[in-house]
Amino acid sequence: MTAAKAILNDTTRCTGCEKCVSACKRENGLAKDLPRRWKLRIDDLSSTRFTTIQRREDGRPVRRMCLHCLEPACVSACIVGALQKRPDGPVIYDGDRCMGCRYCMMACPFGIPRYEWEQPVPYVRKCILCYHRLDQGKLPACVEACPEKATIFGDRDQLLAEAERRIRDQPARYRNTVFGRDEVGGTSVLYVSDLDLGFLSWKPDLEAQALPDLTWAALGKVPTIVLTMGGLMTGAWWLIGRRNKLAAEAAAAKEQETAAPAVKPKTGEKS
Amino acid sequence: MTRRLTALKTVLWLLAGVLGLLTVVRFLRGLGATTALTDTAPWGFWIAFDVMSGVALAAGGFVVAATVYIFGRERYRAFARPAILTAFLGYAAVAVGLLYDLGLPWHILNPVAHPQHHSVLFEVAMCVMLYLTVLFLEFSPVILEHPRLQRPLLVRIHHALKKVTIPLVIAGIVLSTLHQSSLGSLFLIAPYRLHPLWYSPYIWVLFFTSAVALGLAMVISESFFSAWLFGHKPRRELLANLGRAASFVLLLYVALRLGDLAARGQLARALEPTGHAALFWLELGVSALLPALLLQLPRVRSASGGLFGSAALIVFGMIGYRFDVCIVAFARPEDMPYFPSWMEIAVSVGIVAAAMIVFVFFVEHLRVYPPERLPSDPCAERAGTVNSRLSTLDAPPGPETVRPLLVGPAAAPRRYSLALVLGASLAVALLPATALFGEQVQRTPVAAPRMLDVLRLPASGRPAALVLPGDLELRTAGLGPRPALLAASRPERRGSVAEGDPGLPGGHTQGEPVRALLLDADRDGRTVLFAHDAHVERAGGETSCGRCHHQNLPFDRASSCGSCHADMFLVSDTFRHQRHVERLGGNASCTGCHDGAEGAKTRAKARACDDCHRDMVVADSVVAPRAGGLDGHAVGYMDAVHGLCVSCHEREVAARPGELPDTLADCGTCHGREDPGRLRRQGPYLPHSARRAQGLSTLDPRPSTRGPRAAPGPYRVGARPAE
Amino acid sequence: MAQPSGKYSYYVESRAGDVSDRPRKFLEAFAAVLEHSSYGIALDAYARVGAKCSRCAASCQLYEATGDPEDIPCLRSELLLRVYRRYFTYGGMLRARLFADFSLTDEYLDRMGEQFYRCTACRRCKLTCPFGVDHGLVTHLARYLLAEVGVIPKALVVSVREQLSGVGNTSAIPPAALRDTCEFLQDELKETYGVDVKFPIDVEGAEHVFFPAVSDYLLEPDTLMGNAAVMHVTGGSWTIGTGNFDGINYGLFYSDRMMERICKRVGAEVRRLKGRKVLVGECGHATRSAWLLPNFLGADAPPVVAFLQYTYRALAAGKLPLKREKIPERLTYHDPCNLARAGKITEEPREILKAISADFVEMTPNRTENYCCGGGGGTVSIDEIRAFRTKKMGKRKADQIRATGAKLVVAPCANCKKQLKEVCEDNGLEDVRIVGLHDLVLKCIDFGSTGGRHAE
Amino acid sequence: MQAWLEWARGPAFVFSFVFLLLGLLRHVALTAWEVAHVWRRAGDKKLPLGKLLRTTFLWLLPLTRLRNRFWFGLTSFVFHIAILVVPVFLAGHVALWARGLGLSWPAVPNAVADVLTLVAVVTAVLLLAQRVFSRATRSLSRFQDYALLPLIAVPFATGFLMMHPGSNPFDYQATFFVHVMSANLIFVLTPLTKLSHMVLMPSTQLVAELAWHWPVDSGSAVGRALGKEGDPV
C-alpha cells in the first residue's frame, strides 16, 4: 500500500491568483459558476467549484478545499458507502451508490460537500484530491497549477515535518500550529499560516476526537438494546399472560363452583 | 356527520391535487427549484417533518401494541387497530416523503445493496423498512377479514398471521425502540453544528422517551379527531389513563433533559438571555412541562377539551423539538438562513392529506373501529342503497326544504376530481418562476422606466437628437433618430425643460419638448434615453409593437431591452461595452459591430474583436486567446494580461534554464512576494442580495471603477480601413 | 275511480297519499332512477353542453303548429334538466346557496306534466341538435318520474293495468276469445282465398313467437290475415301464445318499471313456448319495446324480428309469390317514428310496396326524417286530447298526405293507423284510407294451385 | 397597473390555463369512466358503433348540417373557425407558446389574424343579435348564453386594439390587462360552463345512445328503492 499522501497549504505564499481553481475546473470538467440562490458568494465552494480562494477581511487569500480527514465524518455518515476514504488519502465519491440523502453534508465539520441543487438528478460534489491523477503518478491539478508552490503534495509524514521546519525556520511568519495535524482526528490537507484558520470549520478550535467515534458510542449499543428490549418484552408478555391466565382459571374455577358457565379468556390473540 | 366527512375529504383531495402538481415539478425541476434548501441547510422541512416528526408521530402504534399485547391491558384493544393503521400510514408517508427529499429516490433501496453499518442512517433505514413490513403484517388481518377476500390461500395466510402476532409485536417494539432513538443519534456526528442545548451524547435517549410520550399523545388526539369525524363517542376514561401515562413519561423526559444539561455543565447556558435559551424553554415548556403538569390534574384529564388540548400541546411541542434539532438549532451562516418554501410545506401537507384519504378509505371499507362504536354505518354511503342516500332528505316535507342530493356512480369522483383539479391549478399558479421554467441565472433586477421631458433638437437633413436640457448633446450620427446615452443620470435636471438653455449644444437655442423614456433598468445611475419612435420605425412600423410589448413573457423580470440586447448586462473584464458605445458614437454604433439593423443585438451577432483590433493578435503574438474558455465569455483582463506576460515568462524560463531564475514565472515575481493581498484588484462578482447585505446596494450608484468619464476622443482603430 | 283532474288536458287518476309532497317524492324517484339506470350519463352531458341554439325548434312539428316557445324541444327538456342541475350537480347546489335559485314546486310539476305529454317523443329533434341531445329520452325520463308522483294519463295506466293485473292484454281478450278469433280468421281466409291458412296456437318449439298489437285482433283483421298468409306461403314456423299474445307495451310511454314488467312477461312466454325469436306484428312502439328486451332480460334475450323485416326477407329470397297485377291506387308510406327514426326499418317496407304497388309515391320528408303521425308516445290512446292531436300535432302530417295526393296511406303501426284515421277525419281527408302493409300484401299474394304453400 | 398586469400575465394566467387543461381533462376522464361504468352495468351490450362514429364525425363538421337555421349555422361555423385560429396561430401568441412551452409552430400572417379577429368580434355580435331577435332562441336562452358571447369577443377586441396601438383610444396597459384577464376568465369558465362542449362534443352521441342501455332489473331496483314493489299498477 502506498503511504498516506497529503497536501500542505502555505497561506503565506498564496497570492490568490486562482490558478488552482481554474486547473481544478479544467481537470474535473466543472461548469461555469453562476449566481445561484443557494450561493452566498459566487466564488464560494459549490457544485461547480471544488476549491476556491477565500479572502479574509484584509484581502488575505486562503485556499479552501476538502480536507480529506483521516477519519472522515462524511464517510462514516454515508448510508450506502458512496463516500470512501482511500488509504493514500483521498475521500472519494461514487455517484452510482449515492441516494441523495445529504447526510454527509450535515455531518462534515468543515461544510465541504456541495449539492447539485440545480439538477433534476443531483449528485454530491466535492474535491476528490484528483485520485485519478494520483493513480497515474501525477500531482493533483491544483498543486501542479500553483505558480507559487503555496500548495504542495507529498507523504503526510514528510509534509508534517516540512510544515514544522517552516514554522521553526520562520517563527515570525507562521503561527506555531499545523492545522490538520490533530483536528477531528487529523486531515490529509494541512495548513501552515499566519492566520487563525478557525473559519475553515463550523466552529473554531476543533477537538482531536474523530467524529465517527461519537456515533459509534451510541451505535455500538444496538445489539444490547435489541437483546434487552426483546427479552424484556417476551418476558413481560409471558409473565403477564401467565398471570392473567391463572387469574382467569381461578376465576373460572370459582365460577364453576357457583355453577356458572366458564368463559376462557383469550389473551395474546388478536380479535 | 356525513357532510363533515365529505367536506374534509374534499379539502384533502384539494391538497392531494396540490401534491400531485408539485410532484411533477419536484421531479422535473429538481430540488433547487422547489425547495429553499442550500448547501448549508441540506436537511430542511421534509426531513424535519416528514421523517423526524412523521416517525415520532407514528409511535402510537408500538406504544399501544405493547400496552395491549404485551402488558395484556385488554381494555385498550379498541385503540390497537386505529393506532396500528395510523402507524402504518405514518410510516408509509415517511417513505413517500423521503422519495421527495432524496436526490436520487430510485436509489432508495441501495442501503440494502450497499450497507454501510457505521452509519446511523443505515440503522434507521433498516429499522424503518422492517418496521413498515411488520406494521403491514400486523394490520393485514384487518384487510384479510374483508368478506370479499375469503379465498382459501388468503384465509390460510390470515390464520398464519394471527399465530405470529406476538412475535410480530415484539419485533415491532424492538425496531421502534431502535429507530426512534437512532433518529436522535443521527445528530451525534455534528457536535460542532448542533447547539449545545440540544446536542447531547445521550440525545437518543431523549428521542426515545419523547417518542413514547408522543405516541400516547397521538393516540389521544387521533381518537378525539376520528370521534369528531365519524361521529362516535371517544372513550374518555381510557384516554385519560393514557394521558396520565404520557404525563409520567414526559416528567421522565424533562428530568433526563435537564439532568443531561447539568451533567454536561451546560445548564448555565440555558439561563443566559439568548435566543437559543428562550427557544429551549419554549420548546420544553410546550412539549413537556406544561402538558405534563396539566395531565397531572384530574380535572384536566377528565375534560375532553383538557385532554385533547394537552395531547395537542405534546404533539406540536414534540414536532417543535424535532424541528429545533434538525433545523433551528443547527448552525448555518447568519446571512444564509433557511425558511422552507411553500412548496416544501405543501408537499408535506399533501402527503399527510393523501395518508388521511387512505385512512378514511380503510375506515369506510374495513372494520378499523369496533362496529358498536359507529352509530351509523359509514359504508352505507357506498353501499348503493338509495334509501341511505335519501336519508339526507330527512327534512320535513315541502319543496323548500328539499336538500340537494348527489347520486349516481360518478357523484363522488366528480366532487373530488374537481377539488383535485382546483388544487393542482392553484399550486401551479403559486409556483415561482424557477419551478416553472427551471433555475435560471439571476438577471439584472429591473426598475420601470420613467417618462421625462427632453428636447428634440430640430435638424434639417440630419436626424434629430434627443437632449436632456442642459446636458451635452448625445451624439447621433448616420442612421436616424437614436436613443441617446447618458454616462450618468443627473437627477437635478430631470424633468426640467428650459427653453433656450444655454447648455444646448451645436449652437441650438431651443428644442422641441418631447417626452421620452428614461431607462435605468438596474438603477445603477447609467441611464438610457429610450427613443420609442426610433424603435417603432426601425422595427417595422405600428405592427411591430408586438415585438417588444408583446413579449408578454410571463415571469420575465429582466429588462425588456435585455430580451433583445441580451448581453447588455454581462460582466466582462476587458470588453467594456459601455466604453465602446461611447467611443464609437452612442447607439448609432450598434450596427457597427452587431449584424443587421433589426433583431437582437446579441453577442452571437457581434463582430469578433480582432475584426477591428487587427493589431491585437499579430502573427507572432504572445497573446494566446483561450480557445473555448470554460465560461465562453470574452477573455478577462487578468487572463489576457497573464496570457501576455506569464506565458512568455514560462517560455523563456523553459528555453534558458539556469540562465534565468526558476521563479521568473511565479506570481510573486511580479506581484511582490511579501504582499500577496495586493493582487486583489477588485472583489469578485457578488450577487445582488449579498451586495445589499454588505451595504453595496444596487440602488446606489455602483462605486465606479472607471473614474470620471473621459471626453470622447479619437479612437484609433488598428488596421481598420478609414471610412 | 277516474275523474278529470282539471290540471291537465288529460284525465289523471289521483291516488290518495300521492297528492301531497309531490316535489319531494319526485326528487326521491329521480335519485332512485339515476342510481339504478343509465340516464345520468346523458343528463349530465345535456345539462352541461346544451347550446340553446333552437335548431330543434325548426324540426318540431308541434312548435311549427303552435308557435308557442314552450313547445320548443330544448325548452321542454330544460324543464327537467333544470331540476337535475339544481338538485343533482355541485354547481346547482352552489348556485342555490348563493342565489335564490328556483326550487321544485307543485306548479312546476304541473307544468312539466302538461308539457311532457304534448311531446310525442318522436325524436325528430335529435337529428338536428348539434350536441345530439335526445329530447325524446328526456321526455321518456320525465314521464317516468312524473308517473312516480301519480301524473299519468289515465288512458295509459288503464292499458297497462289491464295487461299486468287484468286479463293479460291491453284489449282484455281472454285466451278463449283469441282462439275464436283465430278460427274465425282462418275461416275468413278459406272463404276469401280458398287456402287453408293456419293460426298455430301454443305450438311449442316454434321458431317465432308472435306478438302483434293486440288491438289488431279487434280492429285490423286484414293485417293479421296478411301476417298469417305470409307465414303460410313462406312456410315459416310460428305460434301465438295464449299466455301472452300482446306486443303492446305502454310502459315505454310512461314508466320503465312497467315496461320491465311487460317485457319480462314477453320473455317468460317465449321461454314457455320454447320459442327462439320474438316476432312483432305491425306496430312501431311494440317493435321498439321489443328491441329494448336485452335491457331487461340481459344478453340472452331472444332476438327480435319485426314482421316487416320477415316479409321483406321472404320477398328478397323469392319465397313470396305475388300476383302479376299490382294495386292500382296511388299509395304512400308513413314511417312510424319508432321504426324509422333511428334508421332501423326504412327500406324494407318500401321494397315490399314497390313490389305490390303500381303507383307508390313518397312523402316529403320521409324515412328517418319523417314527421310523426301526431299520436306518438301513447298520446293516441288519450281520447280527451283528440282535438290537440289531430289539429295541432297532426296538421303537418295531414298536409304531407295531401301533398302526395295518395288515397291509400300505408302505416305499419297500430297507433299510427288509429291516429292517422282521426287526422284524416278531422282535416278534411275523408277519402283517404289508412291500411296496414300486410293488408295489401295479403291481396297480392299468389296462392296458386298448390294452395300457396311453397315447395319445401 | 404594471403590477396588476404582471399578476394577470403571470400567476393568474398560469392558474386559468392549467385549470382549463386539467378541468377539460377531468371532463374527458369522468366521461370515459362513466361510459365504462354504464357499459359494464348495461344489460344490452350491443351498440351501433359504426353509426355512432359516423354521426359524431358528421356533427364535428358543422358545415354538413346547415339545413335548418342556415344563417345561424353559418355564422356559428365562421365564429368557431375564427376563435380557434387566432389564439393559437397569432404570431404574438406563437412567440408566447415558444417561450412558455418551448414549442413553436407556424403563425398566420398578421393581416389574416387581423381579419379573423374582426370576424370573431363581428360574428359574436351577429350571433348575439340572432339570439336576441329570434323568438325561439330568445325564449331558450339562459344568462350564460348571452354573457359568454360578449365575453369571448372581449379578448379579440382588445387584442385587435393592442395590435393597432395607433388607433387605440385607451391606455395600452389597461387594454392589455383587460385582454389577459378576459381570456383568463374564459379559461376558468370553460370547464364549468357550456364551453366545455369543446371536449364533450365528441362523446355526446355515444352518451345519448348509452343512456338507453340500462342495467338488467333497473326498473325493479327503482321500485325497491322507492318501496313501491308490491304496489298495484
Side-chain angles (χ1 to χ4, degrees), chain B residues 358-382:
Chain B
V358 179
F359 183 85
V360 172
F361 176 84
F362 277 143
V363 170
E364 282 178 348
H365 289 85
L366 302 170
R367 265 187 45 217
V368 173
Y369 291 101
E372 75 272 16
R373 291 178 63 200
L374 295 173
S376 78
D377 182 13
C379 306
E381 199 201 346
R382 299 194 54 85

Side-chain angles (χ1 to χ4, degrees), chain B residues 129-139 167-169 171-172 175:
Chain B
M129 232 179 260
L130 287 174
Y131 188 45
L132 194 56
T133 319
V134 167
L135 277 172
F136 177 73
L137 294 177
E138 274 188 83
F139 185 71
L168 276 181
V169 167
L175 288 169

Side-chain angles (χ1 to χ4, degrees), chain A residues 11-19 22 25-26 30-32 34-43 45-47 55 57-61 73-81 93 95-103 105-109 111 113-123 147-149 173 184 202-209 211-212 214-219 221-222 225-226 229-230 232-234 236-237 240-241 243-244 266-271, chain B residues 26-33 35-43 66 69-74 77 81 84 101-108 110-111 114-123 125 138 141 145 162 165-166 170 173-174 177-178 181 185-194 196 199 201-202 204 208 326 330-333 335-336 439-442 630-631 633 638 642 646 650 665-669 673-674 676-677 679-680 684-687 690 694:
Chain A
T11 65
T12 64
R13 286 194 179 201
C14 177
T15 59
C17 70
E18 301 204 353
K19 286 219 155 197
S22 32
K25 278 192 166 245
R26 197 158 36 238
L30 301 181
K32 176 168 84 172
L34 294 171
R36 298 284 199 186
R37 178 181 57 72
W38 47 88
K39 284 181 203 169
L40 198 53
R41 301 161 54 96
I42 195 161
D43 61 344
L45 284 185
S46 70
S47 56
R55 294 170 202 277
E57 294 72 21
D58 57 354
R60 298 292 306 284
C74 56
V75 171
S76 98
C78 184
I79 176 169
V80 288
Y93 171 72
D96 289 343
R97 284 195 180 188
C98 179
M99 57 189 251
C101 70
R102 308 187 293 283
Y103 189 29
M105 301 171 70
M106 295 289 281
C108 179
R114 300 287 145 144
Y115 210 53
E116 293 179 322
W117 298 107
E118 69 278 13
Q119 300 289 346
V121 181
Y123 292 93
E148 288 301 300
K149 310 279 183 289
R173 184 168 167 154
V184 289
W202 281 107
K203 221 180 212 178
D205 305 323
L206 300 182
E207 287 168 27
Q209 188 181 22
L211 299 182
L214 296 171
T215 307
W216 195 245
L219 206 54
K221 295 192 179 69
V222 164
I225 295 178
V226 170
M229 234 15 218
L232 270 179
M233 286 298 133
T234 318
W237 168 72
I240 292 168
R243 196 185 62 194
N244 285 355
K266 290 184 196 166
T267 46
E269 190 192 330
K270 240 176 138 75
S271 63
Chain B
R26 151 70 185 88
F27 289 105
L28 222 55
R29 292 296 182 198
L31 288 165
T35 67
L37 296 174
T38 61
D39 287 325
T40 55
W43 281 6
Y69 296 117
I70 303 299
F71 299 112
R73 294 273 193 271
E74 285 296 315
R77 190 175 277 279
R81 284 188 167 192
I84 289 173
D101 185 75
L102 290 182
L104 308 162
W106 45 94
H107 287 175
I108 193 167
N110 268 12
H114 308 284
Q116 204 283 95
H117 63 274
H118 280 270
S119 171
V120 185
L121 201 57
F122 172 70
E123 191 225 307
E138 274 188 83
E145 270 173 22
K162 272 192 169 178
T165 302
I166 294 300
I170 292 176
I173 293 169
V174 172
T177 313
L178 284 179
S181 53
S185 310
L186 283 177
F187 295 90
L188 285 176
I189 202 149
Y192 303 115
R193 285 190 80 175
L194 187 57
Y199 185 87
Y202 294 98
W204 46 280
F208 177 69
C326 194
F330 207 74
R332 60 181 52 88
D335 43 5
M336 208 151 181
E439 186 62 42
Q440 284 162 349
V441 179
Q442 284 185 356
L630 284 172
D631 53 10
H633 286 178
M638 193 177 75
H642 283 184
V646 183
E650 284 171 347
D666 287 4
C667 306
T669 307
R673 210 171 282 286
E674 295 309 312
L679 275 169
R680 196 172 72 98
Y685 176 78
L686 294 176
Q694 295 176 15

Side-chain angles (χ1 to χ4, degrees), chain D:
Chain D
M1 195 75 229
Q2 181 80 36
W4 280 107
L5 190 55
E6 281 297 319
W7 176 81
R9 291 164 27 167
F13 171 77
V14 172
F15 170 78
S16 341
F17 193 67
V18 171
F19 188 77
L20 168 81
L21 291 184
L22 292 181
L24 294 181
L25 193 68
R26 166 177 171 265
H27 278 314
V28 173
L30 279 175
T31 306
W33 189 80
E34 272 189 87
V35 164
H37 180 84
V38 166
W39 176 249
R40 206 172 51 242
R41 296 203 314 179
D44 180 6
K45 306 259 190 215
K46 286 196 290 290
L47 268 187
L49 274 178
K51 188 165 154 283
L52 281 177
L53 272 177
R54 201 167 56 245
T55 322
T56 308
F57 185 70
L58 283 180
W59 269 116
L60 288 177
L61 298 171
L63 270 182
T64 59
R65 299 283 170 136
L66 281 178
R67 274 171 322 177
N68 42 11
R69 307 212 63 195
F70 176 81
W71 285 111
F72 186 85
L74 190 67
T75 324
S76 158
F77 178 71
V78 174
F79 173 71
H80 278 88
I81 295 291
I83 64 170
L84 284 180
V85 168
V86 177
V88 182
F89 293 104
L90 180 74
H93 287 174
V94 173
L96 281 186
W97 294 120
R99 183 75 171 216
L101 300 177
L103 297 175
S104 185
W105 49 81
V108 295
N110 274 357
V112 176
D114 277 352
V115 172
L116 281 178
T117 307
L118 288 179
V119 164
V121 176
V122 169
T123 48
V125 172
L126 280 180
L127 283 176
L128 194 63
Q130 291 180 0
R131 192 168 274 286
V132 173
F133 291 118
S134 151
R135 187 172 160 192
T137 34
R138 193 168 63 241
S139 49
L140 278 177
S141 299
R142 300 159 291 173
F143 174 72
Q144 60 164 267
D145 297 313
Y146 290 120
L148 284 176
L149 279 171
L151 178 61
I152 291 173
V154 167
F156 287 89
T158 48
F160 187 80
L161 287 178
M162 286 167 61
M163 288 292 282
H164 303 273
S167 38
N168 180 3
F170 309 107
D171 178 45
Y172 182 84
Q173 289 203 332
T175 318
F176 199 167
F177 182 75
V178 174
H179 178 72
V180 178
M181 279 316 283
S182 54
N184 287 351
L185 187 59
I186 292 171
F187 288 167
V188 171
L189 287 180
T190 299
L192 303 176
T193 59
K194 70 171 182 178
L195 295 182
S196 54
H197 73 257
M198 66 168 75
V199 290
L200 291 179
M201 178 93 183
S203 67
T204 44
Q205 302 285 344
L206 172 68
V207 156
E209 178 61 34
L210 264 181
W212 287 106
H213 291 246
W214 314 303
V216 176
D217 290 339
S218 82
S220 359
V222 170
R224 257 198 313 283
L226 296 173
K228 290 184 178 176
E229 271 173 298
D231 284 12
V233 177

Side-chain angles (χ1 to χ4, degrees), chain C residues 9-197:
Chain C
S9 52
Y10 45 85
Y11 292 101
V12 173
E13 286 184 323
S14 289
R15 273 183 288 152
D18 277 355
V19 183
S20 67
D21 201 15
R22 284 197 306 168
R24 197 183 123 106
K25 288 200 166 65
F26 184 86
L27 290 178
E28 285 181 2
F30 208 158
V33 169
L34 287 178
E35 174 78 29
H36 294 291
S37 65
S38 310
Y39 297 114
I41 186 172
L43 286 188
D44 208 78
Y46 299 164
R48 211 174 282 285
V49 299
K52 310 290 173 208
C53 63
S54 87
R55 282 185 186 208
C56 50
S59 67
C60 179
Q61 66 204 78
L62 174 59
Y63 175 66
E64 280 187 0
T66 63
D68 181 0
E70 292 267 305
D71 287 329
I72 299 173
C74 199
L75 196 64
R76 187 187 316 108
S77 296
E78 181 69 13
L79 286 177
L80 185 69
L81 290 177
R82 190 180 294 156
V83 178
Y84 177 77
R85 230 183 260 124
R86 163 67 179 82
Y87 290 99
F88 299 97
T89 64
Y90 288 102
M93 285 159 57
L94 193 67
R95 200 174 308 131
R97 274 202 193 178
L98 296 179
F99 317 106
D101 207 31
F102 107 104
S103 66
L104 188 62
T105 58
D106 261 330
E107 296 73 45
Y108 191 87
L109 283 178
D110 290 338
R111 201 172 139 209
M112 283 174 73
E114 189 54 44
Q115 287 303 320
F116 282 114
Y117 279 99
R118 284 165 83 91
C119 169
T120 61
C122 73
R123 308 207 289 161
R124 189 165 189 268
C125 39
K126 178 178 188 265
L127 299 174
T128 48
C129 178
F131 295 112
V133 174
D134 191 346
H135 299 292
L137 177 119
V138 179
T139 298
H140 177 89
L141 173 62
R143 288 176 171 194
Y144 182 10
L145 300 177
L146 286 167
E148 296 299 334
V149 293
V151 183
I152 323 165
K154 191 191 158 205
L156 297 181
V157 77
V158 163
S159 294
V160 171
R161 187 176 300 143
E162 200 62 54
Q163 201 168 7
L164 287 177
S165 38
V167 178
N169 57 68
T170 48
S171 298
I173 304 176
L178 174 78
R179 288 177 196 276
D180 286 351
T181 311
C182 289
E183 275 165 26
F184 171 76
L185 292 177
Q186 283 180 24
D187 295 346
E188 186 79 15
L189 279 165
K190 184 97 185 163
E191 215 167 280
T192 317
Y193 300 96
V195 283
D196 189 17
V197 174

Side-chain angles (χ1 to χ4, degrees), chain B residues 73 106 165 179-180 196 239 265 299 315 327 345 370-371 380 388 469 520 581 691:
Chain B
R73 294 273 193 271
W106 45 94
T165 302
H179 70 260
Q180 292 286 5
L239 293 175
R299 262 183 58 201
V315 169
I327 300 176
I345 299 173
S388 75
D520 180 6
V581 172
R691 217 193 297 175

Side-chain angles (χ1 to χ4, degrees), chain A residues 270-271, chain B residues 1 5 8 64 75-87 89 139 141-143 145 218-235 238-239 242 308 355-379:
Chain A
K270 240 176 138 75
S271 63
Chain B
M1 180 189 76
L5 191 59
L8 180 81
V64 171
R75 282 181 299 163
Y76 299 97
R77 190 175 277 279
F79 297 123
R81 284 188 167 192
I84 289 173
L85 177 58
T86 312
L89 292 176
F139 185 71
V142 184
I143 300 174
E145 270 173 22
M218 270 306 283
V219 173
I220 297 172
S221 9
E222 192 263 337
S223 292
F224 276 108
F225 180 71
S226 54
W228 170 82
L229 190 61
F230 299 112
H232 55 237
K233 267 187 152 17
R235 302 193 157 180
L238 293 182
L239 293 175
L242 292 182
F308 181 66
M356 282 173 78
I357 291 172
V358 179
F359 183 85
V360 172
F361 176 84
F362 277 143
V363 170
E364 282 178 348
H365 289 85
L366 302 170
R367 265 187 45 217
V368 173
Y369 291 101
E372 75 272 16
R373 291 178 63 200
L374 295 173
S376 78
D377 182 13
C379 306

Side-chain angles (χ1 to χ4, degrees), chain A residues 131-189:
Chain A
Y131 69 91
H132 50 289
R133 288 174 64 96
L134 300 188
D135 290 345
Q136 298 164 12
K138 289 198 260 181
L139 290 175
C142 54
V143 172
E144 192 179 77
C146 183
E148 288 301 300
K149 310 279 183 289
T151 185
I152 54 176
F153 183 80
D155 288 350
R156 187 168 187 267
D157 304 338
Q158 290 174 8
L159 287 183
L160 271 177
E162 164 70 15
E164 273 155 19
R165 189 188 60 73
R166 286 190 193 175
I167 293 172
R168 209 165 45 240
D169 289 356
Q170 290 177 286
R173 184 168 167 154
Y174 299 103
R175 288 179 162 240
N176 187 17
T177 175
V178 182
F179 186 90
R181 185 216 300 269
D182 302 319
E183 275 80 358
V184 289
T187 63
S188 295
V189 174

